[in-house]
Amino acid sequence: MNFRELGHTCVMGMQWGDEGKGKIVDLMVSDFDVVVRYAGGANAGHTIVVGDERFALHQLPSGIIRPQVTSVIGPGTVIDPAVLLGEITSLRDRGVDIGENLKISDRAHLVFPYHRRSDVLTEQRARVGEKLGTTARGIGPCYADKYARHWAIRVCDLYPADRFRTRLAAVVAHKNAYLAGVHEVRETFDSERLAEEYLAFAEQLRPHVCNTTTLLYHLMREDKVVLFESAQGSLLDVDHGTYPYVTSSNSGGGGYATGAGVSPRAVQSVIGVLKAYATRVGSGPFPTELKDSVGDEIRERGHEYGTTTGRPRRCGWFDAVAGSYAAMFGGPTGLALMHLDTLTGMGEIKMCVVYKSGGAQTNEFPADAYQCEELQPVYETFAGWNDDVTECRRFADLPAAAQRYVRAIAERLETPIRMIGVGPSREQVIYLEEGEA
Ligand code: IMP
């Protein structure tokens, strides 16, 4: 399949993250000229393969291992320069060429150690049940500063050095007062030391920093084709997800337009990525969660442990109500259904098709997280299959029961399925013909 035919395309997670976006982006990216990360920061994690080695990227777009593709870190992201530069160094050590092909928005916000510190301390102080289960990467505190504006520092603020030092001194004084007053932290941050550290980062980042909004505009006018790579998933979107158990950026819906700095009319295709079941890391409502041996079995079969934190992921059945909700504000033109092989040999398979709430049935995904916790999933049960699917390369090769299950997902989400993941490797994908599912 030549993905270029899709035009400018966004690859978006439709559940609570970890849907397998990295694999889809990896398959697609060499057909594109540009790949843009547009939301989130070092909380994201996707595993890439360089030679015989697999390793996790948190800040860099997945396209980075292909030097002919321009990789852009957009204005909607938050950048932890220590993590970013660490990733650049380790890729260079493995022979990956990173130079002109990496562009970093001068408008992106910077994560500082005080953000990570307050992320951890706020979680520690929160009462059980109110902990968000964050990745502790300082994401929430950095985005909070962005929206509050007074204490935010963007990439462009690193230059010139004197102005940065003055600005950082004021911000650090405020942060130290906050950490001491609210969290009783005694050892405070030294703004001079922090300034020197970040000014060294600034010099290493400098060759990559530019106005990526103008860059993308011109590249798109030159008919370069752009892939927008989301982080996390639609149900973790700060506006539309299971608030407050969400991340702090627009990881679903139209986040690519604001986060990348392109016109909302620019994107021609949206590939919604879903797992054939559901997972979530951290706290928050998860109506189809299986807190039993079936959930454990999915976790072990699907290797469901976090890329960023190593935490075991919560596992459950596919939730078509939540999926339809994500599709409603995300507008996928096609779906990639991942991990179908994980369900082989599981016996009967269930899919949530409606919720029961207070005795009545509803297809509404509630705003209130507490109400969401109370939902009872109503399941449709599907026959499972035992035949190995990992060698299937055409839809017709799949066992009939698997085909029925896949078609049911397409029907429920009113969106055609374009790809099915049947194993971890790049080759283990089924590309569907129009009308197959
Ligand atoms: P934060 O983004 O670190 O603030 O974490 C907020 C919530 O989003 C927590 O439940 C995290 O587990 C979740 N989260 C953040 N990034 C990812 C991701 O890449 N995959 C899955 N969950 C994520």
Side-chain angles (χ1 to χ4, degrees):
M1 181 167 182
N2 185 353
F3 293 105
R4 215 177 166 79
E5 288 165 11
L6 296 174
H8 304 306
T9 301
C10 178
V11 172
M12 186 184 288
M14 302 266 295
Q15 294 161 313
W16 285 282
D18 311 312
E19 297 91 347
K21 298 178 293 290
K23 174 168 168 171
I24 295 299
V25 170
D26 183 47
L27 286 173
M28 296 176 71
V29 75
S30 45
D31 289 344
F32 287 78
D33 303 298
V34 184
V35 57
V36 190
R37 263 286 307 267
Y38 61 83
N43 50 349
H46 36 236
T47 310
I48 56 160
V49 181
V50 185
D52 297 335
E53 278 182 274
R54 295 163 69 82
F55 71 105
L57 287 183
H58 301 285
Q59 283 273 196
L60 284 166
S62 310
I64 198 70
I65 57 170
R66 301 206 161 63
Q68 76 281 11
V69 175
T70 302
S71 287
V72 176
I73 302 180
T77 63
V78 291
I79 298 176
D80 187 325
V83 174
L84 175 61
L85 290 164
E87 288 180 4
I88 292 174
T89 305
S90 56
L91 283 177
R92 282 191 179 135
D93 289 348
R94 289 165 172 85
V96 178
D97 200 12
I98 301 177
E100 282 287 296
N101 57 324
L102 175 64
K103 304 290 183 192
I104 299 169
S105 171
D106 49 9
R107 287 149 172 83
H109 282 251
L110 288 168
V111 176
F112 284 83
Y114 48 75
H115 290 131
R116 289 195 298 269
R117 197 77 207 277
S118 55
D119 197 351
V120 172
L121 292 169
T122 307
E123 281 281 89
Q124 277 171 4
R125 276 176 80 95
R127 283 178 305 204
V128 176
E130 288 176 0
K131 294 183 194 294
L132 302 181
T134 74
T135 59
R137 298 299 169 109
I139 305 298
C142 184
Y143 275 111
D145 277 349
K146 166 178 173 169
Y147 287 100
R149 294 152 299 154
H150 289 104
W151 314 111
I153 299 184
R154 298 191 295 168
V155 171
C156 59
D157 299 323
L158 291 167
Y159 321 96
D162 284 351
R163 211 172 64 200
F164 172 66
R165 273 199 194 88
T166 310
R167 169 108 183 114
L168 186 67
V171 173
V172 167
H174 166 79
K175 295 293 174 186
N176 282 341
Y178 162 76
L179 288 167
V182 174
H183 293 293
E184 293 158 19
V185 169
R186 262 188 262 285
E187 78 285 15
T188 50
F189 288 99
D190 176 340
S191 96
E192 268 310 308
R193 276 217 337 245
L194 209 49
E196 289 323 305
E197 188 187 354
Y198 272 66
L199 286 169
F201 294 152
E203 285 321 299
Q204 295 176 70
L205 295 175
R206 194 193 282 274
H208 307 285
V209 173
C210 66
N211 179 346
T212 57
T213 304
T214 316
L215 175 80
L216 286 172
Y217 177 76
H218 288 295
L219 288 171
M220 287 162 101
R221 277 177 65 123
E222 289 163 20
D223 290 331
K224 302 287 191 235
V225 191
V226 183
L227 182 66
F228 298 87
E229 177 184 3
S230 80
Q232 292 87 41
S234 301
L235 301 173
L236 288 172
D237 185 290
V238 67
D239 288 310
H240 310 292
T242 47
Y243 194 90
Y245 303 97
V246 293
T247 191
S248 298
S249 62
N250 286 117
S251 50
Y256 58 81
T258 45
V262 298
S263 156
R265 288 184 287 121
V267 166
Q268 289 144 320
S269 304
V270 175
I271 300 293
V273 189
L274 299 145
K275 267 188 247 200
Y277 46 94
T279 64
R280 154 157 225 172
V281 252
S283 329
F286 181 0
T288 60
E289 181 172 15
L290 293 164
K291 294 180 180 164
D292 58 13
S293 59
V294 182
D296 295 342
E297 196 177 344
I298 295 177
R299 184 177 312 107
E300 292 318 310
R301 287 161 168 267
H303 311 291
E304 294 294 355
Y305 294 88
T307 319
T308 302
T309 57
R311 291 179 288 181
R313 295 180 184 140
R314 299 156 64 193
C315 297
W317 294 121
F318 187 86
D319 185 342
V321 184
S324 300
Y325 170 63
M328 200 183 291
F329 66 89
T333 53
L335 302 176
L337 188 68
M338 311 306 287
H339 276 267
L340 187 67
D341 53 303
T342 301
L343 296 181
T344 302
M346 290 275 305
E348 281 184 338
I349 292 167
K350 293 186 179 178
M351 181 191 301
C352 169
V353 292
V354 67
Y355 300 134
K356 233 197 249 162
S357 170
Q361 291 203 340
T362 177
N363 275 305
E364 276 288 314
F365 201 78
D368 182 346
Y370 298 99
Q371 218 179 318
C372 204
E373 294 273 12
E374 300 300 312
L375 295 171
Q376 296 293 317
V378 177
Y379 289 114
E380 185 174 338
T381 302
F382 292 79
W385 58 91
N386 291 318
D387 294 344
D388 179 33
V389 296
T390 58
E391 298 303 319
C392 297
R393 296 295 175 268
R394 292 175 313 151
F395 186 64
D397 296 341
L398 288 174
Q403 292 187 25
R404 273 197 294 279
Y405 180 65
V406 170
R407 284 209 177 99
I409 291 178
E411 277 160 25
R412 290 275 168 193
L413 271 62
E414 299 179 327
T415 313
I417 297 195
R418 306 288 306 245
M419 286 172 264
I420 300 174
V422 290
S425 83
R426 302 189 85 233
E427 294 71 38
Q428 288 173 305
V429 176
I430 297 173
Y431 296 99
L432 279 79
E433 303 289 336
E434 192 129 358
E436 277 188 310

